[in-house]
Amino acid sequence: MPLYETLPAVFSSRWKRKLLGLFILFLIPCALASQESPDIMVLLKGPYQEQGLPFLPRDISLHFRGEYLYRETRISFFYLQRSLADESDWQDGGCAFETGLLHNPRLGKIMYLPFRNGESIVALVPEKADLDICAVLSSFQRRFLYFLNTSRQWILPPFPGVVEISSSQSP
């Protein structure tokens, strides 16, 4: 007897159908719990063009800014088409890749990441934020670089709408 003909006979009784239904209802939450939720950062505002960086008082250069939300922390990212290496006394950022760090009592941590062809990415993070800023910078740079390389022409740089944060620290 083929399997498809025996199934209705096996589940014909009412209690067996209820048991099957409970089993399926039990499997759904187990399947959802077994999947890790992605660790993501979401673009809240931007990108928009501004003039003058808030952490460099004499700066009047143009840059692009995007504001993100990651684990209830607002992070501002700046994209500059020039280097900031000589603009201030950057400390070592403590990442596995080249970064610079400034502490500003009013603004928080300022992380500088040299980018391709003398460009720069800067992240402005609240001082009390409890997060791995190196992983955030690395993930943002990878995603942003992907969009820059695949976008043919842009008026505003293609800041990614969603960035999945990975624990890898290589940009």
Side-chain angles (χ1 to χ4, degrees):
M1 182 178 266
L3 180 64
Y4 63 88
E5 291 179 4
T6 60
L7 285 178
V10 171
F11 296 109
S12 61
S13 68
R14 186 177 242 163
W15 69 272
K16 288 181 182 177
R17 281 183 279 182
K18 287 182 182 180
L19 185 61
L20 177 65
L22 287 174
F23 181 71
I24 290 172
L25 285 176
F26 174 75
L27 284 179
I28 291 172
C30 290
L32 292 175
S34 68
Q35 296 176 351
E36 285 188 30
S37 61
D39 203 10
I40 59 171
M41 181 171 63
V42 179
L43 180 66
L44 295 177
K45 193 162 98 175
Y48 49 91
Q49 191 172 25
E50 291 182 327
Q51 187 171 4
L53 294 166
F55 48 89
L56 295 176
R58 293 182 197 95
D59 183 71
I60 57 167
S61 65
L62 291 175
H63 62 272
F64 298 95
R65 181 179 186 168
E67 295 189 23
Y68 285 82
L69 183 65
Y70 176 60
R71 292 187 182 171
E72 300 177 11
T73 301
R74 289 181 78 104
I75 303 172
S76 293
F77 280 92
F78 302 87
Y79 169 62
L80 296 94
Q81 294 176 317
R82 66 182 184 91
S83 174
L84 287 180
D86 299 328
E87 297 285 331
S88 192
D89 296 328
W90 298 100
Q91 302 169 9
D92 180 25
C95 299
F97 48 92
E98 185 183 352
T99 54
L101 172 67
L102 288 177
H103 288 280
N104 183 309
R106 185 174 54 86
L107 299 172
K109 293 179 192 173
I110 303 161
M111 293 289 290
Y112 164 66
L113 177 63
F115 200 45
R116 63 178 196 168
N117 304 327
E119 299 164 325
S120 305
I121 293 176
V122 178
L124 198 61
V125 184
E127 192 69 44
K128 294 180 178 158
D130 184 28
L131 50 92
D132 181 1
I133 190 61
C134 294
V136 170
L137 269 174
S138 174
S139 299
F140 178 81
Q141 181 189 15
R142 273 195 309 272
R143 195 74 177 145
F144 186 60
L145 185 59
Y146 169 79
F147 282 114
L148 281 177
N149 289 336
T150 58
S151 299
R152 300 232 188 283
Q153 294 179 335
W154 47 267
I155 296 169
L156 294 174
F159 277 61
V162 175
V163 179
E164 187 171 345
I165 307 300
S166 64
S167 58
S168 165
Q169 284 197 13
S170 58

